[in-house]
Amino acid sequence: MIEIRFHGRGGQGAVIASRLLAEAAFIEGKDVQAFPFFGVERRGAPVTAFTKVDDRPIRVKSMIYEPDYVIVLDTALLEYINVGEGLKDDGRILINAPAAMAAEYKKKLGATVDVVDGTGIALEHGLGSRESPIVNTSMVGAFAKTGVVSIESVAEAVKRQVKRKVEPNIQAARDAFDMVEMEVAE
Amino acid sequence: MRKVITGNHAAAYGAKLSRPGVIAAYPITPQTTVVEYIADFIADGELDCKFIKVESEHSAMSACISAQNTGVRSFTASSAHGLALMHEMLMWAAAARLPIVMVNINRAMGPPWSIWADHQDSIAQRDTGWMQIYCENNQEVLDTTIMSYRVSESSDILMPSMLTEDAFYLSHTVEPVDIPDQELVDEFLPSYEPRYKLDVDEPYGFGSLVMPDNFLEFRYLMAKAYDTAKERIVEVDREFEKTFGRSYGGLVEHYRTEDADYLLVASGTNSSTTREVVDQLRNEGEKVGMARVRVFRPFPVDDVRALAKGVKAIGVIDRTYTYGAFGPFYTEILAALYGQEERPLLKNYLVGIGGRDVRPRDIRDVYKNLVKVSREGLDEEMTWHGLVGPGGDA
Amino acid sequence: MTIPFDKLTPTPITYDKEMKLKTGSWRTFKPVIDNEKCIKCFICWKFCPDVSVIVEDEDSFPEINYEYCKGCGICAHECPKDAIDMEKEV
């Protein structure tokens, strides 16, 4: 089973991101589960969401404590949340940040860190506003670089699940996929 | 068609496929999205149904009762405090023999205020006369909604059904769910044709007074209907499998119970996690199985008695505590086994109260403790698993 | 008298096909409508708790169904023209 944990703030789309990733894996024939941390969701408040992907039926209903991957939608969270908590030794953290920040976050978190400028990509495609960009499709697109799901499945998942600005969201996912630099063993 | 949807979406699909004529519901976390999905179906023209907006859950159930009295199939959904507010009308619906189907999202009762998974809300409605089915996953929520109408509307049953899904663990979690074709559902579930309904051409008085010389007989008829329901739930589950390829074990689902020395009894989503742990333990050579008590009312007394034969110990996992007693599933099982020749050791474990996350290691702890007390003798009848504080096991 | 359970309808209903329980016999005073005073407002019809004021159509005077009228007097009390008298049964 592959377990992915999302950290964002209310309004950035972390819950939808977790569902998009589940849908993409489902398209590839996997069993999936996705859910938000069962809290009270409000705009701006920290939000955690989870996605589980497996070849076998997923039966454990608990939250994710030892993720294979962590996706951070907002770097402001790094100040007061240990996003790397429980991360598996060979796990990776994908952060929404400009490429220049990679080394700093890697040092801070002591883990394999990949960065992609999800905010820049989202704004370029008119997703959300400057004060409140919606970065979920960009971040899931970039995550496809891990090979857990393909970028084509992500595009199809966006078509199925996103109701507005479908094409800009797909393009954001593709741009993020192309831009992210990730060393992944083939 | 398979879709990745939440338990609440699955409940809405189950209702839609059952073609109710009236839906009346009042929103409450974590049930709200059931109502929203249904409103979408109606707005999009996918569901031809009268949605009655109401000012409370008491009114929601009253509206369903009225609709059902005129011979119209109805549906509602609620949770926790909303369900509690329905209490009086739940009793009315059952004793008036109106086969309403509702989905309850199992949520803890406050205070302290909580929106998380706990079975106290539906257990507190145990004696209202509603059948209660505890679902394990989103697919079962959808399928059980359809099956419940079939069982409830049987002319020799005519009792309402309440199916439940654990708050958030099902209500807000997406999983792949097969959405059956409407034509197949229509074949499986005929339209609702009650013998007695409000009809100007054939007038009857409904809900009027009965003297002490006949109340007892009316209650006895309900008891008989419940006996019939035990058989019908199993039959309908089998017929559902023939049409849709899925079944849920009827009243009690057995999982790897053959040759088991130890038995874990679970319900709701706890049984899903327990299933995984049973597999792990079997791989480690442990002789353990799970019995998922799916139907709490009518309580499957005979099935429980049969299960207890040949096992050393049974650990009953409950997701709520009834004040001043034990977990509700434990109490029922304890009562069922009294007087039996073979009585295995029985212990109650309260696990996941108020939405405390239940991990595989929690179920393993329960199993380990069960084996221990089976060998060394019972330490206490009921353990508050995960309790933090003096004497707690966390 | 107790009806055996196998003769009861599962749905608790009450019915009396012959309408045998003719409550008219409960009456001490009976309402009598004076058509000279009646203005066909049908307030008596609206208020009767036992559906015992019969109105055939809007042009006809209301009539009392004495087989079921219990003689409660609400119609006489509500009549704006005092067109209904409560007369002692003999």
Side-chain angles (χ1 to χ4, degrees), chain A residues 82-114:
Chain A
N82 179 11
V83 297
E85 191 174 6
L87 185 72
K88 290 206 177 82
D89 288 343
D90 57 349
R92 308 182 80 104
I93 302 175
L94 173 64
I95 301 176
N96 169 22
M101 300 296 288
E104 189 186 326
Y105 289 136
K106 192 176 165 64
K107 193 174 158 207
K108 180 182 165 75
L109 294 166
T112 307
V113 170
D114 308 298

Side-chain angles (χ1 to χ4, degrees), chain A:
Chain A
M1 181 154 57
I2 298 168
E3 299 182 298
I4 304 107
R5 190 172 67 208
F6 293 81
H7 292 282
R9 291 192 292 130
Q12 294 171 333
V15 178
I16 298 293
S18 71
R19 290 186 181 171
L20 281 174
L21 183 54
E23 183 84 45
F26 170 73
I27 288 165
E28 297 181 6
K30 302 286 170 54
D31 193 24
V32 296
Q33 211 183 65
F35 48 95
F37 173 73
F38 311 140
V40 184
E41 287 129 43
R42 285 159 301 174
R43 184 164 292 272
V47 168
T48 308
F50 310 96
T51 304
K52 300 180 192 174
V53 176
D54 204 346
D55 295 319
R56 302 189 310 124
I58 299 167
R59 298 180 297 193
V60 172
K61 296 286 187 192
S62 58
M63 293 185 278
I64 292 171
Y65 296 89
E66 292 170 355
D68 298 273
Y69 299 95
V70 168
I71 302 177
V72 182
L73 275 60
D74 188 335
T75 50
L77 293 164
L78 299 173
E79 294 303 315
Y80 51 101
I81 289 176
N82 179 11
V83 297
E85 191 174 6
L87 185 72
K88 290 206 177 82
D89 288 343
D90 57 349
R92 308 182 80 104
I93 302 175
L94 173 64
I95 301 176
N96 169 22
M101 300 296 288
E104 189 186 326
Y105 289 136
K106 192 176 165 64
K107 193 174 158 207
K108 180 182 165 75
L109 294 166
T112 307
V113 170
D114 308 298
V115 298
V116 66
D117 185 12
T119 301
I121 295 167
L123 291 176
E124 197 175 308
H125 292 281
L127 304 172
S129 62
R130 188 155 292 280
E131 299 74 35
S132 179
I134 299 170
V135 299
N136 50 9
T137 42
S138 309
M139 296 309 290
V140 175
F143 180 75
K145 206 80 170 192
T146 60
V148 172
V149 291
S150 75
I151 185 65
E152 292 312 319
S153 301
V154 171
E156 176 60 24
V158 172
K159 266 188 215 164
R160 290 186 188 183
Q161 295 235 346
V162 176
K163 294 222 165 69
R164 289 184 302 164
K165 296 191 179 176
V166 178
E167 278 309 317
N169 272 300
I170 291 174
Q171 208 45 56
R174 289 191 190 281
D175 285 1
F177 179 79
D178 292 339
M179 279 171 69
V180 70
E181 285 175 28
M182 202 182 281
E183 284 170 36
V184 186
E186 288 299 323

Side-chain angles (χ1 to χ4, degrees), chain B residues 315-327:
Chain B
V316 182
I317 298 168
D318 264 298
R319 200 168 200 144
T320 194
Y321 159 74
T322 53
Y323 300 125
F326 304 100

Side-chain angles (χ1 to χ4, degrees), chain B residues 59-130:
Chain B
S59 301
M61 185 46 62
S62 302
C64 289
I65 286 169
S66 307
Q68 206 86 26
N69 252 332
T70 62
V72 172
R73 186 179 283 158
S74 69
F75 176 82
T76 190
S78 194
S79 180
H81 292 258
L83 185 71
L85 186 52
M86 271 185 193
H87 178 74
E88 184 198 6
M89 301 322 286
L90 290 174
M91 292 200 142
W92 191 274
R97 309 299 295 271
L98 300 171
I100 303 166
V101 173
M102 74 173 295
V103 172
N104 179 62
I105 321 301
N106 275 134
R107 163 187 153 179
M109 298 294 297
W113 214 228
S114 167
I115 54 170
W116 292 278
D118 190 294
H119 292 171
Q120 189 175 21
D121 57 352
S122 55
I123 289 298
Q125 305 305 330
R126 165 177 59 189
D127 297 331
T128 54
W130 285 61

